[in-house]
Amino acid sequence: MVEMRKPVLVSEAVRLVMEHSYLGGTDTIPLEHTYGRILAEPIIAKHDVPSFDRSPYDGFAVRAKDTEGASGDNRIQFTVIGEIGAGHVATSGIGPREAYRIMTGAPIPDNANAVVMLEQTTEGKDRFSLRKPFSEGENISFKGEDAKEGELLVESGAFIHPGTIALLATFGYATVKVAKRPIVGILSTGTELLDVSDELVPGKIRNSNGPMIAAQLTRMGLGYKSYGMQEDDLDACTEVVRKALIETDVLITTGGVSVGDYDHLPAIYERLGAKVLFNKVAMRPGSVTTVAVLGKKLLFGLSGNPSACFTGFELFARPAILAMQGANTPYMPRMQAILGEDFGKPNPFTRFIRAFWEMTSEGIVAVPAGFNKSNAVSSIARGNCLIALPSGTRGYTAGTHVDILLLGSEQGVSEWVL
């Protein structure tokens, strides 16, 4: 008897997965190895930045009151009494109509309160003239204007990118507390599968899902354990899954989640005592996407069709794996775009179309990336986004405004909005 499955909305499926994405521990690692990790501690300013008043330009440090009345017809002369390079400090303050030659980043000398940019002067030997007045504080980078001591700069849960690393280095974080990365396993199921290096034979296909999921994890900065390919044998598949769950925090399987005679994942979940969160989602492709939980371990049963498999990973597995690391922006960024061509298929479920977006004179335009059935592979390679078309319509015409989800963005957003 064929099992009747009740589909859940995409938003409900996302909610269920995120509710069961349990936090792991933390690691403390050297700063130079932190790119791509998730912060497990906030970044607090340990001192003011800048820590002293400094010059943002090459030029001359002067007293603003000495520049009063300067004009093209009334040039005011200054005497240069010394030079201050970055990393050096003036030996004395300045007096009336005196100046220091100052370099970018160098501290402002005593009594000076303005900086004249080099190109605003007429230079002579040990002297220069001005033809405009300067106000107090002009062209000075003041102590603490970027960050104040004790200020919260980045919250725990943030993705560490190059700018984050610059900030960590500024405040002397030689080692950084980051979230542990979950151990993820990949298992491809299906008697029809061949290895990538095998010659095609009738009725068989090469396993594209396993390498694709591995690459999607690599794009997230994660390693993985591969459990290879497994034929559609219930007992053998159960033992592989049982072994994988001992060794991993998350297991991603591809294939075996439909309702055919050889789709064994539902029976495997039952044998292992895993709780199925959902086994059908109101979406195309990937409606048979199934997610179960066993203790604190997540089992993602993704479709054997490549496009459905790809989409299921991006919508559910990716944010869950980030949430397990305490990430505060686990979801794909969303933008609005103009649909660049007609898409006439009816939408009984929300449809996620592999697509390509680009900026044009008309704004952001997104077009389907090619063949868009759930078993398609070529459109995955061409796409850089997913067009999200809500259910309940009979097709969309070019020029319609649509939502798109951006693929491959290292920084996401904090809320699921579709």
Side-chain angles (χ1 to χ4, degrees), residues 47-57 61 84 86-88 102-109 113-115 137-147 170:
H47 51 75
D48 289 345
V49 176
S51 56
F52 50 85
D53 293 348
R54 64 187 181 187
S55 175
Y57 305 111
I84 314 169
H88 298 273
I102 194 167
M103 307 304 172
T104 301
I108 302 298
N113 56 15
V115 171
E138 190 168 348
N139 294 335
I140 289 181
S141 180
F142 289 101
K143 177 182 178 180
E145 69 177 12
D146 190 1
T170 295

Side-chain angles (χ1 to χ4, degrees), residues 26-43:
T26 62
D27 290 320
T28 300
I29 63 175
L31 174 64
E32 59 267 28
H33 296 154
T34 58
Y35 172 74
R37 302 297 293 264
I38 303 298
L39 270 177
E41 62 177 333
I43 301 178

Side-chain angles (χ1 to χ4, degrees), residues 97-326:
R97 301 275 176 101
E98 290 182 341
Y100 269 100
R101 178 81 164 87
I102 194 167
M103 307 304 172
T104 301
I108 302 298
D110 290 345
N111 303 332
N113 56 15
V115 171
V116 178
M117 295 170 65
L118 195 60
E119 55 268 32
Q120 296 173 313
T121 67
T122 301
E123 284 192 84
K125 184 175 181 175
D126 297 329
R127 63 182 55 249
F128 64 91
S129 65
L130 293 181
R131 60 179 182 179
K132 70 175 286 291
F134 286 78
S135 58
E136 184 174 338
E138 190 168 348
N139 294 335
I140 289 181
S141 180
F142 289 101
K143 177 182 178 180
E145 69 177 12
D146 190 1
K148 295 286 188 184
E149 182 177 357
E151 182 181 349
L152 171 62
L153 299 173
V154 180
E155 293 183 347
S156 178
F159 176 87
I160 300 176
H161 55 72
T164 321
I165 291 173
L167 199 60
L168 289 162
T170 295
F171 293 109
Y173 286 82
T175 60
V176 184
K177 187 184 289 186
V178 298
K180 278 187 179 293
R181 284 172 163 163
I183 301 170
V184 184
I186 307 171
L187 171 64
S188 301
T189 70
T191 302
E192 74 278 14
L193 296 179
L194 296 172
D195 187 74
V196 175
S197 60
D198 291 341
E199 291 294 324
L200 283 178
V201 296
K204 301 284 188 176
I205 59 172
R206 295 189 183 96
N207 174 25
S208 62
N209 287 335
M212 178 179 69
I213 295 294
Q216 286 172 289
L217 290 167
T218 300
R219 181 157 69 180
M220 295 177 66
L222 272 75
Y224 55 88
K225 285 180 173 287
S226 176
Y227 293 90
M229 298 178 295
Q230 183 63 50
E231 293 187 355
D232 295 317
D233 179 282
L234 179 58
D235 291 336
C237 277
T238 301
E239 288 311 304
V240 174
V241 171
R242 194 190 308 276
K243 176 179 183 291
L245 286 174
I246 294 171
E247 300 174 344
T248 63
D249 303 301
V250 177
L251 178 62
I252 299 173
T253 58
T254 69
V257 287
S258 225
V259 291
D261 293 342
Y262 299 103
D263 294 310
H264 296 314
L265 261 298
I268 292 172
Y269 296 155
E270 184 175 356
R271 282 188 177 191
L272 297 176
K275 174 187 174 184
V276 175
L277 301 181
F278 54 84
N279 58 15
K280 190 175 181 67
V281 185
M283 70 183 222
R284 293 280 192 269
S287 64
V288 297
T289 301
T290 300
V291 178
V293 60
L294 184 61
K296 291 189 174 183
K297 303 196 174 189
L298 280 169
L299 298 88
F300 290 92
L302 304 183
S303 171
N305 286 319
S307 284
C309 179
F310 177 88
T311 303
F313 178 93
E314 294 295 329
L315 294 184
F316 306 117
R318 183 180 182 275
I321 291 169
L322 288 169
M324 293 174 78
Q325 300 171 76

Side-chain angles (χ1 to χ4, degrees), residues 299-353:
L299 298 88
F300 290 92
L302 304 183
S303 171
N305 286 319
S307 284
C309 179
F310 177 88
T311 303
F313 178 93
E314 294 295 329
L315 294 184
F316 306 117
R318 183 180 182 275
I321 291 169
L322 288 169
M324 293 174 78
Q325 300 171 76
N328 52 28
T329 55
Y331 302 110
M332 284 184 284
R334 176 181 67 101
M335 293 194 310
Q336 278 231 316
I338 300 167
L339 186 61
E341 61 184 53
D342 292 346
F343 190 87
K345 289 184 180 179
N347 279 342
F349 291 161
T350 299
R351 189 179 292 276
F352 294 93
I353 303 164

